[in-house]
Amino acid sequence: MRNAQQYIESLRDGREVYIHGERIEDITAHPALRKAIDHGAIDYELDKQTELRDLFVTRSQSTGSEIRRYFELPKSAEDLLKRQELIETATRNAGSVVIFMKEIGTDILNAFKMICYEMDKKYGTDYSARVARYREYLEENDLSMAGAVTDAKGDRRLRPSEQEMPYYYLKVVERRSDGIVVRGCKLHTTSAPITNELLVLPTRAMAESDKDYCIAFGIPVNTKGVKIISRPERGDLGVFDYPLSSRHTTLEAMTIFEDVFVPKERIFMDGEWDFAGPLANCFATWHRFTGISYKYPFAEMIIGAAALASDYNGVPKAAHIQDRLTDLVIYAQSIKTFGQAAARECVISENGVAYPNPLLCNIGKYLFAANYHTSMKALQEVAGGLPATGPTEADCRNPATGKLIERYLGGRKGADAISRLKVMKLVRDMGGTEGAGEWWVGTLHGEGSLQAQRFSITREFNVKKCVDYVKALLEVE
Amino acid sequence: MRNAQQYIESLRDGREVYIHGERIEDITAHPALRKAIDHGAIDYELDKQTELRDLFVTRSQSTGSEIRRYFELPKSAEDLLKRQELIETATRNAGSVVIFMKEIGTDILNAFKMICYEMDKKYGTDYSARVARYREYLEENDLSMAGAVTDAKGDRRLRPSEQEMPYYYLKVVERRSDGIVVRGCKLHTTSAPITNELLVLPTRAMAESDKDYCIAFGIPVNTKGVKIISRPERGDLGVFDYPLSSRHTTLEAMTIFEDVFVPKERIFMDGEWDFAGPLANCFATWHRFTGISYKYPFAEMIIGAAALASDYNGVPKAAHIQDRLTDLVIYAQSIKTFGQAAARECVISENGVAYPNPLLCNIGKYLFAANYHTSMKALQEVAGGLPATGPTEADCRNPATGKLIERYLGGRKGADAISRLKVMKLVRDMGGTEGAGEWWVGTLHGEGSLQAQRFSITREFNVKKCVDYVKALLEVE
Amino acid sequence: MRNAQQYIESLRDGREVYIHGERIEDITAHPALRKAIDHGAIDYELDKQTELRDLFVTRSQSTGSEIRRYFELPKSAEDLLKRQELIETATRNAGSVVIFMKEIGTDILNAFKMICYEMDKKYGTDYSARVARYREYLEENDLSMAGAVTDAKGDRRLRPSEQEMPYYYLKVVERRSDGIVVRGCKLHTTSAPITNELLVLPTRAMAESDKDYCIAFGIPVNTKGVKIISRPERGDLGVFDYPLSSRHTTLEAMTIFEDVFVPKERIFMDGEWDFAGPLANCFATWHRFTGISYKYPFAEMIIGAAALASDYNGVPKAAHIQDRLTDLVIYAQSIKTFGQAAARECVISENGVAYPNPLLCNIGKYLFAANYHTSMKALQEVAGGLPATGPTEADCRNPATGKLIERYLGGRKGADAISRLKVMKLVRDMGGTEGAGEWWVGTLHGEGSLQAQRFSITREFNVKKCVDYVKALLEVE
Amino acid sequence: MRNAQQYIESLRDGREVYIHGERIEDITAHPALRKAIDHGAIDYELDKQTELRDLFVTRSQSTGSEIRRYFELPKSAEDLLKRQELIETATRNAGSVVIFMKEIGTDILNAFKMICYEMDKKYGTDYSARVARYREYLEENDLSMAGAVTDAKGDRRLRPSEQEMPYYYLKVVERRSDGIVVRGCKLHTTSAPITNELLVLPTRAMAESDKDYCIAFGIPVNTKGVKIISRPERGDLGVFDYPLSSRHTTLEAMTIFEDVFVPKERIFMDGEWDFAGPLANCFATWHRFTGISYKYPFAEMIIGAAALASDYNGVPKAAHIQDRLTDLVIYAQSIKTFGQAAARECVISENGVAYPNPLLCNIGKYLFAANYHTSMKALQEVAGGLPATGPTEADCRNPATGKLIERYLGGRKGADAISRLKVMKLVRDMGGTEGAGEWWVGTLHGEGSLQAQRFSITREFNVKKCVDYVKALLEVE
């Protein structure tokens, strides 16, 4: 397994990455990208901690060699609980900001495992074997992976083939004996600028007329024709003023496929339109399970920040503060409890994969996304105005102002001004910086929109059983 | 194990029960009380159904004879899940209205088991042995039990010994060699008019000055001096117009202890003031676990009624209807998931009892109580105005009006007027009758107020762990 | 102007009214109907109170004779505020239960005034003159009026002419030189069993193919062929146990038109399909304005009951109690403030009618309906369990139990048991009796469903202005 | 009246302002401060627009010369409505970001006017005359003003005189014949770095032992000993990527008083401890009225952005999008309606000031603060993920990526990529940048915390009237 340094070096591979309007030749040398890379690199060092080793490392089910546990295909509830603990622990060790070196990639691999089996069964294709080889390759080389799922979509009312511009969804433009050529663009490709491989799949159910849009594959990020525009990110933030976003960030990107060639053995769907929906859905469940897992530490951090801020302010027992804290506890625990339930009530697929319970995954993800704004409001309410108006580290260091800040910004006895300011800066960074901007939106839309989860929830619940009960009770029908 | 008839006959025991201002000599002959008794009697017949027998019957851990599973002392998560399934199933077979023949009593017995062990350890008392004998007696005679917990309280700001009137909390007024004499009153004593035994315990934490109020015991309902005033209940409701409350109801009562003698061997706490709070709390957790278990079928019934009503109305797919349905599914599933989690993450006590996880119990109970009104609103919104304004069974039977009702109250093609009216009457009975009145309030206050759960939730969650994380992140303190 | 006795006598007119399956020959002699009639009769006596006279009485704009102010056609914001005060005051004098002798009827007359003017202008009809004569007749005879608006609807996805059964919406089945014959049924016809006149109009927008369903008219309740089935109502409730519903109730009914003849001069729309929607909408606004006006006293009563109950319980200052009270104040005041704003920002129609602001009416009505369940939950939370489990008046009067009740149900010093029980019974009657059942549903669905208001709100607000602002800011389009 | 240039020049006055740890000699030359100054300067030019002149300019009530309408002392509901329109219009012309050159200052002057009258009456002081002269001076010189209200507070449970550090609240440290010397610090002093005058008053009710903390006065910002630390703000943002925060911002600051001398004629309270609470409260009402006025345009901007984004995305009519829009309309209109009601139902003080209705002000302010996070969530939900992940202006201008962005980020037919990105950037800037960070917190805490408003609401509402109604209904007490 690689270490941080090896991971970082692997990114100097000629990839075409843009940020703030500039093509960056060596992304490891660009301060903003480097910050994200260093955040990603945390994952490559956690297995080196003795007490985490057992959690982070397992053995390959095919080769027997040591691999990261992310790659472990869950076959039981226990495996899923382990995967959850893994993602939760990694995140907690990275400032409660999810790392995304392996999480999405393995979510996709797990979905491929399940759906390729179904495709092969129906169409006699050999996608399963291809996926297995690819998985082994990724495991052995300990590669990091990004997922490319969400298409540009154009007019959202229209199907891919109905759009005015034919490439609003990624499309096969040429089929050759040794592979295919694709054109289009994927949005919100988390970690794409700083991972090794890109895993691509359809974003929605398709009709037969959309066949050419039904493609899934995996390629190296530095493949010719892949152009990545990173979302803006700053590289010049200090730890005092930005305790999270100066150190911990995930990048999103717009990833363009300019007639990119995909070799045959890396194609995992090509035209099986009736499986586009199932694949998208299956991935969504896996990814929502991941979402629940990494969001819990953040929810705990909200509680910790709220409790500490109100303690420093001298009013930890005020009724309205306690009220907010209770709401936050319910928020955090709902994520955790639905996450664990999704693992425990997993569904074992025909080919032996333990699939997180889709109903419980969707509710868990929905609850954390739907109540995030209210929870952050609770934190901001509890902390007071200083997160917005507090002076900076530089003001504290300036001899003309530092003493005054220390004198006036103390809290309850024993709560010195600098400690208190640090908490206030954390609250600011969680809700009021550009880093926070990513989280407000990412929490809502990452792993699918609220409405997507709502549809899934109603579909997955056994409403008919409830109706039948009422019918029997009333003796109708 | 007794059958329904035996249970019913056992209630002709001279007990002093009042309803609507009247002393009822034979409560089995009073239409309103009889309705509640018949509802209770359901529980005495469910074990006779082959497919339910394994769930409802187990063997005594002491005598080896067949007993109802309610009496099984949970020793593992599996036992708790079984208990949950038991209560859920019994309730579902009783119109989703909880039966309360054994649930509360065994909640109390379980709490006694845990706390008497602690008392004996600290004070060298022999309460545990007394409780064990009492439990065996109850098991073997298959008795039904009510719980008497909530005192009258008077001025809620004041402790028991501070009240103007000294008996606002149940008090020992005489101590004799063979037992004690108590005076006072317990409110909201669910099922007291129609069960065999009364189990009594303190309602709150006490101070040393409240010692004489720290009493727990069990006595037959027909003990001299016990006077029970049932809440009002009607006995003349028809099934069509009141599909639930004509058949299914639990009674609450005001139970007065006019210098009631309690023999020594039935006393399980007397003056151990420092255990009043722990006992009240321990019972609360057990009872909230029961609450979660019986509330789930009702939540399912809400979903069934909402889905069927909107189907009959012809608009099952309208976006706002679907939206309400999704909210209801999240409501129901949250109850279920927290209930199961409370079992799975139980705490094993020193003396081997599997205690439902208090944090998860409290959140589960809180979620069903806090969101009940909104959920019923969703049902009423979906059903439309007919639950309030629809004609009665008698109107349907009247030849002058019946045909007109049948003509005009049909819904979508295939939904005849009578079936549709039946659903509307169910919706009415769930939210708009006197039966519903009990549920609106009972859901809020049964098993403790919302605020009681909120306090428990914050206390049980590990807030300190979250604060420590933030401190480490910020390097403060 | 008539008095209560004259109103009551006028109801012995041979009308065909059914309740609980029975045809009632003299409705003034039936206990349940009589209760509703006595409630209605309150309105006929309020003008006799000196301090209310100026508010309740005005002079006819045509004849100059004294008439009830309900009939005053609002021509200014002040008139609308007066109308609001009138309805609010009448309701407050009737236990906060709206009376509905004149409110709905004049809502409809006002809508006729506005829309008939438009119809006459477009089609050269003379509806306005007919309406004016009818209004004068109603004013002079001080008649009470019911509105018949909501059709049976059958399958709600289908238009009137698309339904399987052709009379799911009220339909003209014959056109004669002297009038028309109609067949069908109207639901939720508030007060129909106990008022003098029935005012009828379409419930929704129609297409040209629905022409025969586009009818509006006014006829006496005792017209041949009109059959009224009242919703169930009890006539045997005591004031102590049912402080509201023993005295104050509005009736709803199913009103069937079995080939009813309507004379020409009483027809106010017949086939003008393009005005069905505008008329339904215009009435909806008037009626929602009425709704806001009568709901405010009820909201105040919730506050009063909550504050008094928590005072008696001894915990008026507990933080969570105060929290609920604050929410209730915001609830009540939002109704009031939007109601007044709807009056103040009225729209003056071409023919001089001051029309309550539709946006503000809809928001006001929406807020009271959407937040009613939460508000009642607050009340029930604050009051505790006694509303569900408290003993009855008869129990208090029984010497065997009365003293015990008095001893044990006292609250804080000075709060005697009987007073406290009275408040608890009020809380019960507001949320947990059959009367309450009407209010839970009526608040949601009366004056239109939540969704109807939501659509109106978005339609009436100037979204375009906001979009234009953003476009200018961004320099787009 | 001054123009923008004059205002800007007036800021080169030797004031002691720090930002990012640096003392800034000429604040008009510092890019970040200059941005805020230019935002402030907008106010100095709006009166130059013909169509706005009548709204922005009036005549002095004392001298008769032209003054800005901000200085107009409201004497009627109409004056208050005008003040509201003034603040709303100014804000709308400044990107919906409140300007705060005069708003807070005149809020304070109005509060001084009311409370000094009361102080003079009780204590025979001459504060009213001093305030009148100061007001005239400010009017005539068209000065901009900041308010300094919130003290540092230290331990929030403790009163000023109980704090460990004696200057956690601003304190008089010396009394001289010609004035006083004060020491302490005020937080959240909006606009202090860039206005001419500082108006100072107590932040809370005080006890007699806190006398030395009961001070109010007005002094120039460049007074010796006044040290201002501005909150961090960036000066290098582009309009495309930051359509609001690149141009529109208000500054907050920490303002320290290092033994600052205040001349006698500028002291408006000194030791009248029983008026500290009334003054703080009175100002709070005025300022909340201002808050409502400037928040409305922002709420409209949320609606506009949401509607435009969903239009560009091609799904303006999706049910869940419409649902969010309806909620936003209710949000915006509640602010507006309570704002207008607060003006219309003003209270005329003994000395003739039209005081915005405190109950309605508090509810209006509460509704906008309490529902802001949910409203922003609606906007972010509607807009989708691009606000977080969209490329920058520089990416659009880069020939290698610009064309690709234009190709792939188009929306529905007619919605070009650049326009769509602009809306997405606006959504980002409203919720996900450092500017947004100020608004999240400022909306919650500006003009007082949620809890402060909740207390005021319950206090100002006539709960007793509601209780009396219920008592009369029940015949109790």
Side-chain angles (χ1 to χ4, degrees), chain A residues 220-456:
Chain A
V221 170
N222 67 350
T223 301
K224 188 164 175 297
V226 172
K227 295 159 188 287
I228 298 178
I229 309 174
S230 170
R231 69 157 179 76
E233 176 67 41
R234 292 173 62 189
D236 60 343
L237 305 174
V239 171
F240 184 95
D241 294 319
Y242 300 85
L244 292 182
S245 64
S246 64
R247 297 181 284 184
H248 302 295
T249 194
T250 44
L251 287 183
E252 310 266 350
M254 178 172 174
T255 298
I256 298 142
F257 298 79
E258 276 283 275
D259 296 354
V260 170
F261 174 71
V262 182
K264 205 166 178 183
E265 71 271 21
R266 288 290 171 81
I267 300 172
F268 312 127
M269 168 181 279
D270 180 13
E272 292 80 5
W273 64 272
D274 47 339
F275 286 96
L279 181 55
N281 254 316
C282 182
F283 163 67
T285 297
W286 280 104
H287 196 35
R288 285 165 199 172
F289 184 70
T290 288
I292 301 170
S293 308
Y294 76 69
K295 183 52 71 178
Y296 178 67
F298 200 95
E300 278 197 342
M301 188 166 62
I302 300 178
I303 294 173
L308 191 55
S310 61
D311 172 27
Y312 283 173
N313 288 346
V315 287
K317 295 297 169 201
H320 70 284
I321 302 286
Q322 283 293 310
D323 239 29
R324 291 302 85 75
L325 215 55
T326 306
D327 290 338
L328 289 174
V329 167
I330 294 171
Y331 176 63
Q333 192 61 47
S334 295
I335 298 170
K336 181 79 170 185
T337 293
F338 271 98
Q340 293 186 323
R344 285 180 179 136
E345 302 189 30
C346 60
V347 182
I348 306 295
S349 77
E350 212 178 284
N351 61 334
V353 185
Y355 182 55
N357 187 294
L359 173 64
L360 301 173
C361 265
N362 274 289
I363 296 182
K365 158 75 226 272
Y366 179 77
L367 292 175
F368 89 61
N371 297 308
Y372 182 74
H373 286 65
T374 300
S375 300
M376 289 300 297
K377 175 187 156 200
L379 172 62
Q380 294 176 331
E381 187 187 347
V382 163
L386 278 178
T389 71
T392 61
E393 180 181 20
D395 293 309
C396 296
R397 293 191 185 285
N398 182 337
T401 50
K403 286 251 165 58
L404 296 169
I405 291 169
E406 280 176 42
R407 183 197 293 163
Y408 288 116
L409 293 189
R412 59 129 175 96
K413 196 166 168 171
D416 67 280
I418 297 306
S419 296
R420 193 163 164 242
L421 254 187
K422 278 183 169 183
V423 184
M424 297 303 169
K425 291 298 177 187
L426 176 63
V427 174
R428 177 179 184 248
D429 207 9
M430 290 169 77
T433 61
E434 299 200 355
E438 307 305 311
W439 303 323
W440 287 112
V441 172
T443 302
L444 271 184
H445 290 284
E447 302 100 40
S449 71
L450 294 178
Q451 199 56 26
Q453 282 121 47
R454 293 182 66 87
F455 287 145
S456 300

Side-chain angles (χ1 to χ4, degrees), chain A residues 16 18-23 152-157 163-165 167-168 183-185 187-188 227 229-232 234 237 242 252-254 256-258 311-316 320 324 366 369-371 373-374 376-378 380-392 394-396 398 400-401 404-415 420 424-425 428 431-438 440-442 444-445 449-451 455, chain D residues 16 18-23 152-157 163-165 167-168 183-185 187-188 227 229-232 234 237 242 252-254 256-258 311-316 320 324 366 369-371 373-374 376-378 380-392 394-396 398 400-401 404-415 420 424-425 428 431-438 440-442 444-445 449-451 455:
Chain A
E16 191 172 345
Y18 298 82
I19 188 169
H20 294 301
E22 249 190 302
R23 163 83 193 266
K153 291 183 184 166
D155 188 325
R156 295 191 183 193
R157 273 164 309 195
Q163 302 279 344
E164 203 185 11
M165 202 280 284
Y167 308 111
Y168 272 146
R183 185 183 302 160
C185 164
L187 300 182
H188 322 321
K227 295 159 188 287
I229 309 174
S230 170
R231 69 157 179 76
R234 292 173 62 189
L237 305 174
Y242 300 85
E252 310 266 350
M254 178 172 174
I256 298 142
F257 298 79
E258 276 283 275
D311 172 27
Y312 283 173
N313 288 346
V315 287
H320 70 284
R324 291 302 85 75
Y366 179 77
N371 297 308
H373 286 65
T374 300
M376 289 300 297
K377 175 187 156 200
Q380 294 176 331
E381 187 187 347
V382 163
L386 278 178
T389 71
T392 61
D395 293 309
C396 296
N398 182 337
T401 50
L404 296 169
I405 291 169
E406 280 176 42
R407 183 197 293 163
Y408 288 116
L409 293 189
R412 59 129 175 96
K413 196 166 168 171
R420 193 163 164 242
M424 297 303 169
K425 291 298 177 187
R428 177 179 184 248
T433 61
E434 299 200 355
E438 307 305 311
W440 287 112
V441 172
L444 271 184
H445 290 284
S449 71
L450 294 178
Q451 199 56 26
F455 287 145
Chain D
E16 191 172 345
Y18 299 82
I19 188 167
H20 295 300
E22 248 191 304
R23 165 83 196 265
K153 290 183 186 167
D155 188 324
R156 295 193 181 190
R157 274 164 308 194
Q163 302 278 344
E164 202 185 13
M165 204 281 284
Y167 308 111
Y168 273 147
R183 185 185 302 160
C185 164
L187 299 182
H188 322 321
K227 293 158 190 289
I229 309 174
S230 170
R231 69 157 178 76
R234 292 173 64 188
L237 306 173
Y242 300 85
E252 308 268 348
M254 179 173 174
I256 298 141
F257 298 78
E258 276 281 275
D311 172 26
Y312 283 174
N313 288 346
V315 287
H320 69 285
R324 293 300 88 74
Y366 179 77
N371 298 309
H373 286 64
T374 301
M376 288 300 297
K377 175 187 155 199
Q380 293 176 333
E381 188 187 346
V382 163
L386 278 178
T389 70
T392 62
D395 294 309
C396 297
N398 182 336
T401 49
L404 295 169
I405 292 168
E406 280 176 42
R407 185 199 293 164
Y408 288 115
L409 293 189
R412 62 133 174 91
K413 195 166 171 172
R420 192 163 165 245
M424 297 304 168
K425 292 296 176 189
R428 177 179 184 250
T433 61
E434 298 199 356
E438 308 304 312
W440 287 112
V441 171
L444 271 184
H445 290 284
S449 71
L450 293 178
Q451 199 57 25
F455 287 144

Side-chain angles (χ1 to χ4, degrees), chain A residues 19-79:
Chain A
I19 188 169
H20 294 301
E22 249 190 302
R23 163 83 193 266
I24 308 302
E25 290 301 331
D26 177 0
I27 64 166
T28 69
H30 183 279
L33 295 173
R34 180 58 186 248
K35 175 175 67 175
I37 292 166
D38 285 343
H39 176 68
I42 292 173
D43 210 27
Y44 280 96
E45 293 294 326
L46 289 175
D47 60 299
K48 277 74 186 172
Q49 296 185 30
T50 319
E51 72 280 12
L52 295 182
R53 186 166 170 78
D54 279 359
L55 177 60
F56 279 76
V57 180
T58 187
R59 293 207 171 263
S60 162
Q61 293 164 332
S62 47
T63 69
S65 53
E66 286 200 330
I67 56 167
R68 294 193 186 271
R69 191 183 294 277
Y70 294 106
F71 286 111
E72 182 177 59
L73 183 74
K75 300 193 160 166
S76 67
E78 286 64 38
D79 290 351

